[in-house]
Amino acid sequence: MKKRSFSRRLSWRIIGIASVIIVTMLVIVAIVSHQLIADEATRATQHILHGTISDIEKPLSEVEVVTKTVAAHTLSMMSIDRNGETANAAGVDPMEQLVKYTVEGDSLVCGSYVIVPSCIGNLIYYGCELPSGDIAAGSMLDDAMNSPADWLVTTAKEKKDAFWIPPHKSLVDSNKMVASYCTPVYLPGTEQLACIVVSDLGVDWMEQKVEELRPYKNSLTTISCSDDCIVGIKDTAIIAQIRKSFAEDKELAALGEDMKLGKDSIRRRIGKGRTLSFVVYGPLHNGWMVSIVCQYRDVLRRSAQMNFNLMLIGLIGLVVLFFVCRRTIRRLSRPITELSESALKIAKGNFNAELPEIKSQDEMLHLRDSFMYMQNSIADYIEELKVTTRANERMESELNVARNIQMGMLHTDFPPQLYALLRPAKEVGGDLYDFVLKDDHLYLAIGDVSGKGVPASLMMAITRASLRFVAGLGLPMDQTMNRINNCVTDTNSNNMFVTLFSARIDLKTGRMEYCNAGHNPIIIVPPDGEPYFLKAKANLAVGLFSDFPYEAESIDLKPGTRIVAYTDGVNEAEKADKSMYGNDRLLAYVSSPKVRASATTEREVVEGLLESVTAFTDGNPQNDDITIMSVKI
Amino acid sequence: MDVKITNQDNKTLVVLDGRLDTTNADRFQQDVNPLMQMEHPDIDIDCSGMSYTSSQGLRIFLMLQKSVLAHGGKMVMRNMNPQVKEVFDITGFSNIITIL
């Protein structure tokens, strides 16, 4: 597994969070700024559109007024004409004069015509600026079918009211585009067409105006006059293509419909992708539609630039943040690294390992202080442990010496007919046994001090000393026990007591004199009968009351009789479930054929019983001293 | 080992329940210590629940008995089960403690 440093991991996490925040902010800024800029752009463009519309309408209105004035004059002139005054004094037709003056007098009007339909053809009075700048005026009869004049008359009859002809090539100058305003004049009181007054208006200025009107780089301003004529687009192929798109695209078709109805409005989303645009449009009073198309790409160019810059700044900021974070975190977390190194040293046993110096007053200082406290505590604790261990070791070695001394008090030079063992529960114990073989008499004793451990062992030593001393006196058993009791009681201020069984066996006669001071009954195993517990008078345990009247008893034993004496560590040995070895198992053991076999030695009997008890307790710790003695007479 | 000690009409009733062995002998001694301070005590020990006593337990009963005699009072133990009674008999304690 790759090891990644804490500082790097934390830095990456901070960078991650910062990135999310920055990106979110950028996205919000981009969306909001785009929205605001787009709204502002459409509003501004609408404003420009309205200005443009009023700019274009002024000349149109002027031309309309001039034409209507001419129309009013023609009617009066035609009535004079009918009265026979066909020419004025100069011999010039007044109608010709009228059209000539009109062209001359109005700078906008570049051609003025009066067409009078008659049965022989259309009589045309014309006054027009020639490319040279001169003004030509005159009249002519046009009897051709489908001539422009004929078309005009037909159209005027259909429309009945004044109308505009979309820009077209001038009749006198094919390089010049003009729009014409036509006013049909009717005979008063009738619906009979008297004449048509036409004024040509050059549209160069209009073209120039839409050409110049570019609020944005790729925006396009147009004036749609008819299906075929769009001022602002010269190429007819493009116009055809636009018409096709308008016919096919649902959105554009709806837009065209709105434009035809002359609604003043706006379309915010036209086109797709890079050419996504908005359109503002409004009608002129004559029904022509002025529209401005702007691509969002241009409108939002500056905002896009700004967003890009913001992104760049954000990116640079993130990189800087990463390095600053890593450096700072590494610096701040250095104490942790150093502390961990110190901890390793301490773990290896160097309790004086130096801890890092920390100047900041923060958690690091706290950590270091805690660490130092722990270091000192461990050092103190270890020192304490050393002292305790030393004391324990000393105590243990003293106890071992004590054990050796105690074991040394017990006879181990057994005659063949006797064996005994003592196994303390702790180092030292409170059980004892003793025997003296003297002049065909065998003195026996087995005892158990209440409690165990060191206090019991001291009592045991006293008892053992008294026993040896008193036994040497050769007194009867009751007096022997009495003496021992007095000796022990004198030195016993702690209410401890000793249960003691003592006996003297005459090896010649087999007579056993005994006294039991509160000890477990011994077992007699006759050579030819069942083993039994030897009943004895309930004398008080030794060490409690001076001069207690101990009573001795006697019994005759057959040769080959075995005596088994023990302490309560045997019959009260416990298993883990608190069940005890008990008297029944004890009796069963001594009556078993193996034990009763004549070849079985006293040592085998004693060790066999200990084994039986150990097997019974099954690993449960020995909780009382165990002493077993076996004698065969 | 549960020890319940109640005082009633100048009589002290002690009820023992469980095993009195090496592990709890010290605690038992602490429990009965106050009884050794009493003047003219009249102590009645109910042993019906006591299933076993170790030699340390015997020692405590003995100390209690001695203290009762020294303070001019009396003490009886009753309802001992046969195994416990046997221990008291063997050690000769039945001679110095009143067992009913």
Side-chain angles (χ1 to χ4, degrees):
Chain A
M1 204 179 102
K2 202 179 165 189
K3 216 175 160 186
R4 295 188 68 183
S5 77
F6 171 69
S7 61
R8 182 184 291 214
R9 230 173 32 209
L10 196 56
S11 305
W12 274 121
R13 202 158 288 187
I14 290 171
I15 291 300
I17 293 166
S19 306
V20 169
I21 292 170
I22 288 177
V23 166
T24 311
M25 268 168 60
L26 279 178
V27 167
I28 291 172
V29 164
I31 290 172
V32 170
S33 72
H34 277 208
Q35 194 67 50
L36 285 175
I37 289 170
D39 281 354
E40 193 52 43
T42 48
R43 213 170 294 131
T45 313
Q46 260 178 325
H47 194 71
I48 292 168
L49 176 77
H50 289 139
T52 308
I53 287 173
S54 66
D55 283 355
I56 295 171
E57 275 186 332
K58 252 182 240 159
L60 293 181
S61 300
E62 195 180 322
V63 169
E64 283 167 15
V65 169
V66 167
T67 312
K68 287 206 167 121
T69 314
V70 173
H73 282 297
T74 51
L75 202 58
S76 63
M77 278 180 192
M78 281 176 76
S79 59
I80 294 165
D81 202 64
R82 273 190 193 149
N83 294 335
E85 295 170 37
T86 51
N88 60 11
V92 181
D93 192 314
M95 201 71 97
E96 282 177 26
Q97 221 156 13
L98 177 63
V99 292
K100 193 184 174 190
Y101 288 153
T102 307
V103 176
E104 278 175 349
D106 198 297
S107 57
L108 288 169
V109 179
C110 62
S112 181
Y113 309 88
V114 177
I115 299 161
V116 184
S118 71
C119 50
I120 54 164
N122 294 316
L123 183 62
I124 303 171
Y125 299 94
Y126 62 89
C128 51
E129 269 181 24
L130 296 173
S132 60
D134 296 333
I135 293 169
S139 62
M140 56 181 280
L141 185 68
D142 174 27
D143 60 352
M145 294 291 281
N146 298 324
S147 69
D150 195 36
W151 176 82
L152 261 177
V153 170
T154 315
T155 310
K157 278 179 181 166
E158 273 171 23
K159 298 221 174 182
K160 295 201 168 65
D161 211 349
F163 60 92
W164 278 92
I165 298 171
H168 53 276
K169 279 177 186 168
S170 168
L171 287 173
V172 292
D173 180 355
S174 61
N175 290 325
K176 190 176 170 86
M177 295 294 284
V178 294
S180 307
Y181 185 67
C182 308
T183 309
V185 181
Y186 297 92
L187 290 176
T190 70
E191 285 191 6
Q192 195 188 339
L193 184 68
C195 64
I196 301 166
V197 179
V198 180
S199 299
D200 280 353
L201 172 67
V203 293
D204 305 353
W205 59 274
M206 233 196 258
E207 282 172 353
Q208 204 180 335
K209 192 156 194 81
V210 297
E211 182 65 29
E212 283 169 359
L213 197 65
R214 284 177 182 275
Y216 299 99
K217 195 179 166 198
N218 290 311
S219 48
L220 176 66
T221 310
T222 54
I223 305 170
S224 322
C225 307
S226 71
D227 286 348
D228 301 324
C229 176
I230 300 175
V231 177
I233 302 173
K234 289 203 177 92
D235 194 337
T236 49
I238 294 178
I239 294 175
Q241 202 183 333
I242 291 172
R243 277 178 63 192
K244 199 179 156 214
S245 324
F246 268 74
E248 284 168 1
D249 193 301
K250 241 185 192 175
E251 239 177 38
L252 288 176
L255 175 61
E257 209 55 44
D258 281 357
M259 283 179 159
K260 268 183 194 158
L261 291 169
K263 282 183 184 165
D264 176 11
S265 195
I266 176 168
R267 273 288 193 287
R268 289 186 191 277
R269 298 181 79 79
I270 289 289
K272 276 174 199 149
R274 288 168 64 78
T275 59
L276 182 69
S277 315
F278 67 85
V279 184
V280 294
Y281 56 92
L284 295 173
H285 69 265
N286 63 359
W288 296 353
M289 185 61 66
V290 183
S291 59
I292 306 177
V293 183
C294 300
Q295 292 189 358
Y296 278 113
R297 189 156 50 107
D298 301 326
V299 173
L300 301 175
R301 179 160 290 160
R302 268 199 277 169
S303 126
Q305 180 68 42
M306 185 187 77
N307 288 336
F308 178 75
N309 289 347
L310 281 178
M311 218 161 71
L312 206 64
I313 291 169
L315 205 64
I316 293 168
L318 282 179
V319 172
V320 171
L321 184 66
F322 176 76
F323 285 107
V324 169
C325 270
R326 217 174 129 187
R327 222 185 122 104
T328 311
I329 294 166
R330 197 175 280 175
R331 187 160 51 82
L332 288 179
S333 63
R334 190 175 305 139
I336 295 182
T337 319
E338 291 172 358
L339 273 179
S340 86
E341 281 164 10
S342 302
L344 270 182
K345 282 185 201 158
I346 292 171
K348 282 176 186 161
N350 177 8
F351 292 103
N352 298 319
E354 219 162 291
L355 295 180
E357 189 99 343
I358 291 174
K359 285 170 187 138
S360 58
Q361 300 284 320
D362 56 11
E363 290 87 345
M364 288 294 173
L365 185 69
H366 191 71
L367 179 64
R368 182 194 175 274
D369 288 348
S370 306
F371 207 86
M372 193 162 72
Y373 182 73
M374 186 182 79
Q375 189 184 16
N376 293 339
S377 299
I378 290 178
D380 290 350
Y381 180 68
I382 294 278
E383 204 49 49
E384 217 168 277
L385 204 62
K386 276 183 191 162
V387 172
T388 316
T389 309
R390 235 176 277 140
N392 279 347
E393 276 168 3
R394 199 179 55 232
M395 185 79 85
E396 217 165 288
S397 76
E398 282 176 6
L399 276 176
N400 278 331
V401 174
R403 179 195 174 90
N404 290 339
I405 292 170
Q406 189 177 36
M407 289 302 157
M409 288 177 193
L410 303 170
H411 276 306
T412 47
D413 49 342
F414 300 109
Q417 72 269 43
L418 187 148
Y419 190 78
L421 70 76
L422 191 159
R423 199 166 92 174
K426 295 179 174 178
E427 282 82 355
V428 289
D431 276 10
L432 68 140
Y433 69 84
D434 198 14
F435 61 89
V436 179
L437 188 58
K438 193 177 172 187
D439 308 335
D440 295 336
H441 283 91
L442 177 63
Y443 286 90
L444 292 180
I446 185 163
D448 178 6
V449 181
S450 60
K452 49 187 185 271
V454 173
S457 76
L458 292 173
M459 276 294 277
M460 174 269 186
I462 292 164
T463 313
R464 158 66 184 65
S466 313
L467 198 64
R468 192 59 73 80
F469 168 68
V470 176
L473 299 177
L475 297 168
M477 280 322 291
D478 50 353
Q479 287 182 40
T480 304
M481 195 59 90
N482 204 326
R483 294 280 186 95
I484 294 169
N485 180 43
N486 287 351
C487 281
V488 176
T489 309
D490 282 349
T491 54
N492 180 18
S493 58
N494 211 20
N495 282 324
M496 294 181 75
F497 58 84
V498 188
T499 65
L500 191 66
F501 174 87
S502 188
R504 185 175 62 182
I505 306 167
D506 186 334
L507 295 174
K508 272 190 205 153
T509 60
R511 188 175 183 79
M512 179 170 83
E513 197 190 347
Y514 62 93
C515 179
N516 190 349
H519 196 77
N520 295 68
I522 61 162
I523 303 170
I524 304 292
V525 189
D528 51 358
E530 286 306 304
Y532 59 92
F533 288 106
L534 178 65
K535 282 200 171 111
K537 285 193 172 136
N539 292 304
L540 186 64
V542 169
L544 297 171
F545 294 104
S546 299
D547 298 323
F548 181 86
Y550 288 93
E551 288 178 57
E553 292 152 276
S554 61
I555 181 172
D556 288 323
L557 301 171
K558 288 179 184 166
T561 300
R562 175 174 283 147
I563 302 164
V564 179
Y566 57 91
T567 57
D568 58 4
V570 174
N571 58 331
E572 291 181 8
E574 284 176 347
K575 260 190 198 179
D577 66 359
K578 300 283 181 199
S579 60
M580 290 180 185
Y581 187 75
N583 290 342
D584 293 343
R585 278 190 190 79
L586 197 51
L587 271 190
Y589 172 76
V590 293
S591 34
S592 65
K594 196 184 154 201
V595 174
R596 298 199 65 167
S598 55
T600 310
T601 63
E602 300 318 299
R603 182 178 183 142
E604 283 163 351
V605 172
V606 169
E607 285 175 350
L609 179 54
L610 182 65
E611 258 171 48
S612 168
V613 170
T614 312
F616 172 79
T617 55
D618 193 20
N620 197 38
Q622 183 188 340
N623 59 9
D624 202 357
D625 308 330
I626 291 178
T627 303
I628 306 167
M629 178 187 267
S630 182
V631 185
K632 199 163 189 180
I633 54 174
Chain B
M1 173 86 176
D2 266 355
V3 183
K4 278 190 203 126
I5 301 177
T6 46
N7 285 300
Q8 206 176 12
D9 306 332
N10 297 327
K11 246 183 127 126
T12 306
L13 186 64
V14 180
V15 181
L16 304 178
D17 193 15
R19 290 165 52 89
L20 176 53
D21 56 25
T22 331
T23 60
N24 53 31
D26 284 350
R27 223 192 60 224
F28 178 57
Q29 175 150 16
Q30 282 166 23
D31 287 339
V32 300
N33 257 341
L35 305 184
M36 299 189 196
Q37 316 300 325
M38 292 163 76
E39 287 298 324
H40 311 293
D42 183 358
I43 301 172
D44 192 325
I45 304 177
D46 181 3
C47 304
S48 55
M50 185 165 73
S51 52
Y52 169 79
T53 178
S54 70
S55 58
Q56 277 144 304
L58 287 178
R59 183 176 148 255
I60 295 161
F61 287 120
L62 176 76
M63 284 165 69
L64 194 56
Q65 176 65 55
K66 277 189 169 180
S67 147
V68 165
L69 291 175
H71 288 94
K74 55 181 181 173
M75 176 176 107
V76 293
M77 296 179 77
R78 30 177 112 244
N79 305 328
M80 244 179 227
N81 84 19
Q83 290 83 30
V84 176
K85 179 73 164 57
E86 194 190 347
V87 174
F88 275 75
D89 287 341
I90 288 173
T91 52
F93 277 34
S94 317
N95 297 329
I96 48 172
I97 296 174
T98 316
I99 300 173
L100 299 177

